[in-house]
């Protein structure tokens, strides 16, 4: 029997959520680690409050993952909640804090389980007013303007920054309306995966309609003319299959 899978995720709201702990043992281990259990019409789930300090979130999630794995559960733990990896990733890019934040967003994108989760993560990159892509575009545009202010002769370099800014503007235009489309991604995947199941378990009524009963097959054989009997018009017309459609 395959091990039950439990996924720990760091939500954009700041809360840490454990999904998949449907049995009592995993629920007890999560509560022992410090998670709060919630039972509502969404089902059973476990979470840490958004006000929990980040260091405590990492420590609690890592401890929960250790206990669950010791109990033979398959645990998915993102690097942002893994204390063993966080020690190496505390300053993964040194002074480049903006790049480090983008790495964190990339982890959330990879951990998304639904189109809605993915949309919320991608929104940090592509929001038309506050997304990272728009901030980078503005920064490149500002850099080009500043180059012109500092050196009138460096107009070629300033133009290159302006062109780079224009490219990002074009990239933003390519993904207009991404939010609604991402919300539909999960629904389309479910329809695609359900289709083979229905065809493999339900009878095909077209096959049943084409089937011939044993009695009808026997009657057809007995009434078939012998191959030695000549056709009434003295000529045979071989059957030529038509073109396949």
């Amino acid at each position: 029997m395959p091990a039950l899978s439990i996924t720990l995720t760091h939500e954009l709201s700041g809360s840490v959520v454990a999904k998949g702990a449907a049995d009592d043992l995993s629920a007890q281990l999560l509560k022992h680690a410090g998670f709060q259990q919630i039972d509502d019409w969404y089902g059973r789930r476990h979470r840490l409050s958004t006000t929990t300090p980040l260091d405590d979130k990492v420590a609690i999630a890592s401890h929960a993952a250790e206990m669950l794995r010791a109990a033979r559960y398959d645990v998915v733990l993102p690097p942002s909640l893994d204390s063993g990896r966080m020690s190496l990733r505390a300053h993964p890019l040194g002074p480049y804090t903006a790049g480090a934040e983008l790495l964190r967003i990339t982890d959330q994108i990879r951990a998304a389980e639904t189109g809605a989760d993915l949309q919320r993560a991608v929104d940090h990159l592509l929001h038309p007013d506050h997304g990272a892509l728009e901030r980078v575009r503005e920064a490149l545009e500002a850099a080009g303007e500043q180059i012109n202010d500092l050196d009138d002769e460096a107009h070629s370099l300033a133009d290159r920054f302006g062109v780079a800014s224009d490219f990002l503007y074009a990239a933003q235009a390519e993904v207009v309306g991404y939010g609604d489309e991402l919300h539909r991604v999960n629904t389309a995947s479910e329809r695609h995966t359900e289709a083979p199941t229905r065809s493999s378990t339900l009878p095909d009524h077209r096959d049943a309609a084409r089937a011939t009963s044993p009695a009808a097959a026997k009657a057809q054989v007995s009434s078939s003319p012998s191959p030695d009997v000549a056709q009434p018009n003295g000529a045979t017309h071989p059957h030529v299959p038509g073109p396949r459609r």
Side-chain angles (χ1 to χ4, degrees):
M1 180 177 179
L4 294 176
S5 179
I6 298 174
T7 301
L8 303 175
T9 59
H10 201 166
E11 304 290 319
L12 294 177
S13 64
S15 176
V16 175
V17 178
K19 302 176 182 178
D23 64 305
D24 292 338
L25 176 58
S26 61
Q28 290 175 4
L29 292 175
L30 285 168
K31 287 189 288 185
H32 180 72
F35 280 81
Q36 177 188 2
Q37 180 171 308
I38 300 173
D39 292 285
D40 55 21
W41 67 290
Y42 286 107
R44 175 187 289 180
R45 63 192 188 283
H46 299 79
R47 64 186 294 273
L48 298 177
S49 171
T50 57
T51 58
T52 305
L54 178 59
D55 290 344
D56 290 343
K57 291 178 183 177
V58 174
I60 293 172
S62 297
H63 182 49
E66 289 176 2
M67 290 192 295
L68 289 167
R69 286 169 178 158
R72 305 301 183 117
Y73 290 92
D74 180 20
V75 181
V76 178
L77 183 68
S80 61
L81 293 174
D82 189 337
S83 59
R85 299 179 65 176
M86 280 296 290
S87 60
L88 300 176
R89 292 170 60 93
H91 302 285
L93 302 180
Y96 301 102
T97 55
E101 180 63 18
L102 289 175
L103 284 178
R104 186 183 70 83
I105 294 173
T106 301
D107 287 340
Q108 292 177 341
I109 289 173
R110 292 192 175 116
E113 295 183 342
T114 66
D117 290 343
L118 184 57
Q119 185 270 328
R120 284 191 291 269
V122 171
D123 205 41
H124 284 264
L125 300 178
L126 301 181
H127 189 281
D129 297 319
H130 311 301
L133 194 61
E134 173 60 14
R135 297 284 80 84
V136 173
R137 188 200 65 77
E138 287 180 347
L140 290 173
E141 184 179 55
E145 294 171 353
Q146 190 67 12
I147 290 170
N148 277 328
D149 291 343
L150 295 174
D151 188 348
D152 292 339
E153 300 298 323
H155 53 81
S156 177
L157 177 60
D159 287 345
R160 286 161 58 192
F161 276 84
V163 170
S165 175
D166 290 341
F167 274 127
L168 290 186
Y169 185 82
Q172 289 172 300
E174 286 293 327
V175 289
V176 169
Y178 69 90
D180 292 338
E181 295 184 55
L182 283 179
H183 268 283
R184 292 194 295 268
V185 165
N186 204 58
T187 303
S189 299
E190 289 174 355
R191 286 198 302 265
H192 179 73
T193 54
E194 288 175 1
T197 304
R198 289 195 298 267
S199 63
S200 61
T201 58
L202 297 179
D204 190 336
H205 297 290
R206 292 173 299 177
D207 290 343
R210 289 194 296 264
T212 304
S213 69
K218 183 177 180 181
Q220 183 178 4
V221 171
S222 62
S223 62
S224 299
S226 171
D228 296 332
V229 178
Q231 297 295 326
N233 58 5
T236 59
H237 299 279
H239 172 68
V240 178
R244 294 185 179 178
R245 295 184 180 177

